[in-house]
Amino acid sequence: MERRLDPASRVAPRRPRLLPHDWRGQAGMSIVLWIGAFFMVIPFVWMLTTSLSRKADVSMPRTPSLWPPDPSLFNYMIATDKLPILRLYLNSLIVVGASTAGYLFFCSLAGYAFAKGRFPFKSTLFILFLATLFIPFETRMIPLYLFMVQVHLTNTYLALILPFLAGGFGTFLMRQTIANIPDELVDAARVDGASEFRIFWTIILPLCRPTLATLAILNVIWRWNDVLWPLLVTSDTDMYTVTQGLALEGHSQGTYTGVALATAVLAIGPVVVAYLFLQRYVIRSVVSSGVKG
Amino acid sequence: MTPESSPPSRDSGVVARLRRAFRGALVWYGFVLPPLFLILVFIGYPTAIAFQQSMFTEVPGGGQKFAGTYHFERLLGDPVFWGALGNTVLLGVAFLVIIIPLSTVLASMLNRVRRGATPLKVIYFLPQLTSSVAIAILFHYVFQPDWGLLNGTLRLLGVNPLPLWLAEPRYTLTGSRAAATILAVWAGLGYFIIVVLAGLQSIPNDLYDAAAIDGASPVQSWWYVTLPSLRPTFIFLIITGTIDQLARFSDLWTLGGPGGSPARSLQSIVMYIFQQGFVGSDFSLSAAAAVVFFVIVLIVTSIAFWGFLRREFSAVR
């Protein structure tokens, strides 16, 4: 059951058999791949060294170096001075946490009803939910922003959270997962007198754990990296998300290379460290859903 | 939700059955209505307003006047809009044309290599986890003409004159659009590789066995077996990649502000919507652009959904 529900199980390593073990081919491919990997990593290394170099704000060496000539945390001090980075992390954690928890909850709620419920207008409503997949956020962002202004929610967490609590994609994914759970399980609980909500909470949700994890990882990536919506509804520095603060500060620090890159390191560092621990699950989630982060 | 507390009703027939059906359905509405409410308020309502705004003009002092297609005519007569649309299409096409072959070659090697596949995958995927904002800030300096990582290295290699990258708004292979494309390919490569890898691993081994028996070399079997078998993966990547590229915003905004500096060479269609509505407060023009954007994405999404995604979605269980 668990295995069948896990969408990542289809990404198992498998290599063509019957191919001769060709060490020259292997060596050639390894070299090409590691050269590529070098190009992927080197900008990050350069970012780190430049952010650690105090001189980077005054004059950059015309030849890039991969070791700071004058290692110091000066740029980081300026960066944290200019931007309340801890506050920004708190904002991002609240916004990403609340919107992800809400998204999982409301999408599962609708998904359960569409998978196991019987009620008038079920398919019409389901099509309505799916129709939202065809509406890009960018089409409705300006009216949504004007709406937030109207109800005086700009510069609040609610403005950053509310628009992302339910959606067609999550509802669809949850409906597909729940539809695969045998009816007998649900019926047995019903005979025991459990309420529908109790069944949903204690039986259905635990069985959906792999899908919920996938959905949670994707949503965290989306919400964490989003900058378009925070730019519209928050203008108060104390309400910035990490990504938004980075976008605005990095921009205004144009000439202070070291400070801008130190801000960038502070903004992505914890995410990258978390990724190194969770990479297996993250990559699986992105692949299995076929949706980009 | 609570067990029936009233005594069992005596009235037989249709009324009782209807009532029971209704009571049974009520629970399910309890499940559906909260998310439905959220969707109507935060997705349905603003979308309707976007359509409405595109056809009305705000009258100073309150109220609205029907404007018909006036704002659409204004939009289509605006060279800045065409520039933004052109940029979006050009950058999107350049991105896909480069990244799909590149990721296919790298993924094929990654699939065959015996050592180090896992750390390589993690490294290639790394930028995907970094927000496109952070990547844009980093590359703003990587492309700096005097001392940036790229030009600094090119100088060491004796390149002269050095390219201007982000400071060059004209259509050249070393201008701002090229820089934005290199950035996007660098950032997106990991995702494309991982998806192609998944596609590679779903190719049945029998096909390779048959090719080997027929005496095909590894390169031949790659060309004649692997590539044709990856067709669904390519279709999927082209369609989702197109939708993604059409909505491109955060990296270009970070590089060039809402106007897509230099000289609007990096302004995308979403940046145009953002600039007209949020910066310029011309809500009707912004809404008209949003509606046009919606139609373009709808066409691509429809092709995706009916042609391919439906199958892809049902595979995810």
Side-chain angles (χ1 to χ4, degrees), chain A residues 131-139, chain B residues 85 88 239-248 269-270 273 289-306 309:
Chain A
T132 63
L133 285 172
F134 291 84
I135 306 172
F137 177 75
E138 292 78 6
T139 295
Chain B
L85 188 61
T88 311
I239 290 172
T240 54
T242 305
I243 295 170
D244 228 49
Q245 288 298 303
L246 284 172
R248 196 159 167 196
I269 184 162
V270 174
I273 300 172
V291 168
V292 170
F293 176 73
F294 169 78
V295 172
I296 296 173
V297 174
L298 183 67
I299 293 169
V300 178
T301 319
S302 310
I303 297 170
F305 198 75
W306 300 116
L309 269 188

Side-chain angles (χ1 to χ4, degrees), chain B residues 38-54:
Chain B
L38 289 168
I39 278 181
L40 288 180
V41 172
F42 295 107
I43 300 180
Y45 170 72
T47 309
I49 293 294
F51 276 84
Q52 190 250 358
Q53 275 180 335
S54 72

Side-chain angles (χ1 to χ4, degrees), chain A residues 156-167:
Chain A
T156 62
Y157 289 131
L158 279 179
L160 292 167
I161 295 167
L162 284 175
F164 308 104
L165 286 181

Side-chain angles (χ1 to χ4, degrees), chain B residues 110-185:
Chain B
L110 215 46
N111 195 38
R112 292 276 311 279
V113 82
R114 274 156 215 269
R115 266 165 227 252
T118 305
L120 282 165
K121 250 188 280 183
V122 173
I123 290 172
Y124 281 106
F125 200 75
L126 193 59
Q128 198 61 46
L129 269 293
T130 318
S131 61
S132 40
V133 167
I135 290 175
I137 287 181
L138 169 58
F139 273 71
H140 177 72
Y141 298 109
V142 167
F143 284 121
Q144 209 285 339
D146 285 328
W147 45 258
L149 178 61
L150 188 56
N151 272 11
T153 313
L154 289 179
R155 184 185 288 116
L156 275 184
L157 298 173
V159 176
N160 192 27
L162 288 167
L164 286 174
W165 302 116
L166 289 167
E168 166 65 91
R170 279 175 297 177
Y171 292 90
T172 65
L173 283 176
T174 55
S176 55
R177 293 181 183 83
T181 304
I182 293 173
L183 177 161
V185 169

Side-chain angles (χ1 to χ4, degrees), chain A residues 200-218:
Chain A
F200 166 73
W201 194 254
T202 59
I203 297 173
I204 300 292
L205 283 190
L207 285 173
C208 296
R209 225 173 268 146
T211 310
L212 287 171
T214 298
L215 210 51
I217 289 174
L218 289 173

Side-chain angles (χ1 to χ4, degrees), chain B residues 256-309:
Chain B
S261 317
R264 291 196 186 277
S265 62
L266 294 181
Q267 192 172 36
S268 71
I269 184 162
V270 174
M271 283 156 81
Y272 181 86
I273 300 172
F274 181 90
Q275 194 182 28
Q276 297 302 337
F278 184 64
V279 184
S281 293
D282 190 344
F283 300 122
S284 296
L285 188 63
S286 164
V291 168
V292 170
F293 176 73
F294 169 78
V295 172
I296 296 173
V297 174
L298 183 67
I299 293 169
V300 178
T301 319
S302 310
I303 297 170
F305 198 75
W306 300 116
F308 188 73
L309 269 188

